[in-house]
Every structure is written in C-alpha cells, then in structure tokens.
Amino acid sequence: MELKKFLSIHILCVLIFVGFLYYFTIFIFLDDLLSLQSSTGKFHSFFFTFMASLCVFSFFVCVLKDPGGVPFSYLPDVEDHEASDQESKRSGLLKKKCDKCSEYKPPRTHHCRICRRCILRMDHHCAWINNCVGHRNYKAFVALIFYATIAIIYSSVILVSDAIHKDWNFDGVMHLKLFYIATGVVLIGLSLTLGTLLGWHIYLTMRNMTTIEYYEAKRAAWLASKSGTNYHHPYDVGAYKNISLVLGPNMLKWLCPTAVSHIKDGLSFPTSREYS
C-alpha cells in the first residue's frame, strides 16, 4: 500500500519541521512584525500559507507517485545495424540486461539498490521522500524544491525583518536572542542548500539530464577528449525543448506537480540526432 511510504523517520522529520516552520513564521515572527489583524499581515500570511500548501502537496505527490518501473513485457529492440548476426544480437541483449535484477533495461534506466528494482530515467533515490526520483515523479520533485525554496527564503526574510524591528529592551532577552539566532542560522542554511539544489536541477532540466547521466557524461567527455573528439549528451535537444519534455509544453503548468499528461511510457526518448 502506498501509504506505507509515510512510515519513515525522514518523512516524519520533514512533516514535523514544516509544521514548526509554519507555526513560527505565521504566529510568532509575522504576527510580531506586522500583526495578523492588519491587511498587510493577512496578505503575507495568505501568501506564505499558499506556498507552504503547494510545497506539502508536491511533497505528497513525490512520496506517493511511482517513479516508473520497467514493464514485465518489455523487450529491447535488437534490430540494429551493428548486430547483423545471431551472436552479435545475443551480446547486445546481454548488455541491455540489468546485473542486479536480470531484467532488460530501456535507455536511461538504472537499478536502485534501495528500491531493489530498475527505475525509468532514474535521477537518484531520495530518503526524504522515501522514494526514487525518476521518470514519473521528477517534475513533482522539481516543483517541491521550487516551492520549498520560496517558502524558506520568505520565512527567512520575515524572521530577519522581525529581528531588526523588534524592541529588545526587556528582561530575559538573551534567551529570545538565542532563539532568533538559532532559527536564523537554520533557515538561512536551508535557503542556501535548497537554492543550490534548485539551481542544480534547473541546469539538469535545461540539459535534459539526470544526476546519474551528468556524471556519466563527465566521464564520457573525458574519454572523448583523450581520443580527440567532442561528447554531446544524446538527449539534449535544445534548452526550451528539453524543458518542455520534462515539465510539459504549457508554461502555465510547469510548476503543477500533477500536470503530467505529456509524460510518455519512459521506454524511449527523443535524441539530438532526430532533431538535427
């Protein structure tokens, strides 16, 4: 049952942290800074609640959405030009078989040792969602990082603004200062971490690569340079087309984690050779 995925210490920690972050941001920092009864306070409260809700929704999609496994009926295409005889075809088939689960692997598929199966267009296994990030939930993962980054930065700005405008002339101020400093360090650190992660996956999306393929491409480029040739990632068909293939053709739905009608079966992908 998919709900069993929530029985994870990492997911529990995420949900507890989100709950505390929401409470502190709205009912302590924002209320102290602007007052929740004011129109400005209500606006900021609504905006942060909206961002937090989108973040939690994207998180649930990432956890519950199957990243995409190889169909049992899948067989690779062996009718290639280089495999003209029976022995060559058999060798080609062996190369397309997974060493771990002995199943045939479509292009861009990798075996996850934690999930114990092959994942279509696998990016990585994420403990924080207790799931692999792959072909069918990668868009939701990008949306999750985006909304989480916006929410954390927004919370950090509210915290810093409240600390600047706060009247610190009262007894017991040292404990409160330590609380603000500790919270600020956590939020700013998370803002930098998530912002870096978001930038990384924007780069990968624009190149139509996964994290695994990035490191494979680095090695392939190194080997190509040693032989005096240039390496080009075969699935890089141009920045805009790459984004459309990953996030969808409609820009208005790029950050909607459930708008995945453009996602195909994940058994084959357009290549730069087809677009040249």
Side-chain angles (χ1 to χ4, degrees), residues 99-173:
D99 296 333
K100 308 294 191 306
C101 57
S102 301
E103 299 292 337
Y104 291 115
K105 294 198 302 182
R108 312 183 78 179
T109 299
H110 294 274
H111 187 88
C112 176
R113 60 183 178 81
I114 300 174
C115 295
R116 297 180 181 178
R117 61 172 181 149
C118 285
I119 303 297
L120 300 172
R121 196 183 180 274
M122 179 179 172
D123 187 89
H124 68 288
H125 184 93
C126 180
W128 297 108
I129 63 172
N130 195 24
N131 199 6
C132 265
V133 178
H135 180 59
R136 301 194 186 282
N137 66 347
Y138 181 75
K139 178 180 177 177
F141 182 75
V142 173
L144 168 63
I145 301 171
F146 176 82
Y147 293 128
T149 302
I150 298 298
I152 288 289
I153 292 176
Y154 203 79
S155 180
S156 301
V157 171
I158 291 174
L159 167 65
V160 173
S161 300
D162 183 31
I164 291 173
H165 294 92
K166 193 174 185 63
D167 181 10
W168 296 99
N169 296 317
F170 57 89
D171 294 334
V173 69

Side-chain angles (χ1 to χ4, degrees), residues 8-28:
S8 161
I9 188 65
H10 291 88
I11 290 181
L12 183 62
C13 287
V14 170
L15 295 177
I16 292 174
F17 175 79
V18 170
F20 275 109
L21 177 65
Y22 182 80
Y23 178 82
F24 289 149
T25 302
I26 298 293
F27 298 104
I28 296 181

Side-chain angles (χ1 to χ4, degrees), residues 76-241:
D77 182 13
V78 296
E79 297 299 327
D80 54 55
H81 299 294
E82 296 178 0
S84 56
D85 55 54
Q86 203 66 24
E87 193 62 36
S88 298
K89 289 181 181 178
R90 187 178 304 169
S91 175
L93 281 174
L94 288 174
K95 290 179 181 178
K96 294 178 180 178
K97 264 200 169 185
C98 176
D99 296 333
K100 308 294 191 306
C101 57
S102 301
E103 299 292 337
Y104 291 115
K105 294 198 302 182
R108 312 183 78 179
T109 299
H110 294 274
H111 187 88
C112 176
R113 60 183 178 81
I114 300 174
C115 295
R116 297 180 181 178
R117 61 172 181 149
C118 285
I119 303 297
L120 300 172
R121 196 183 180 274
M122 179 179 172
D123 187 89
H124 68 288
H125 184 93
C126 180
W128 297 108
I129 63 172
N130 195 24
N131 199 6
C132 265
V133 178
H135 180 59
R136 301 194 186 282
N137 66 347
Y138 181 75
K139 178 180 177 177
F141 182 75
V142 173
L144 168 63
I145 301 171
F146 176 82
Y147 293 128
T149 302
I150 298 298
I152 288 289
I153 292 176
Y154 203 79
S155 180
S156 301
V157 171
I158 291 174
L159 167 65
V160 173
S161 300
D162 183 31
I164 291 173
H165 294 92
K166 193 174 185 63
D167 181 10
W168 296 99
N169 296 317
F170 57 89
D171 294 334
V173 69
M174 184 55 66
H175 292 89
L176 189 60
K177 279 186 177 179
L178 289 175
F179 169 71
Y180 269 71
I181 291 171
T183 307
V185 169
V186 171
L187 291 183
I188 292 172
L190 273 175
S191 297
L192 293 173
T193 301
L194 288 173
T196 302
L197 186 62
L198 177 63
W200 169 246
H201 281 282
I202 289 174
Y203 168 78
L204 291 178
T205 299
M206 293 181 68
R207 297 288 305 276
N208 198 2
M209 303 175 80
T210 65
T211 300
I212 295 173
E213 288 172 346
Y214 170 81
Y215 290 104
E216 289 178 343
K218 281 189 68 174
R219 174 171 173 76
W222 176 72
L223 292 173
S225 64
K226 291 188 70 174
S227 60
T229 59
N230 293 321
Y231 172 80
H232 179 78
H233 181 56
Y235 302 105
D236 184 356
V237 293
Y240 182 77
K241 185 63 179 177

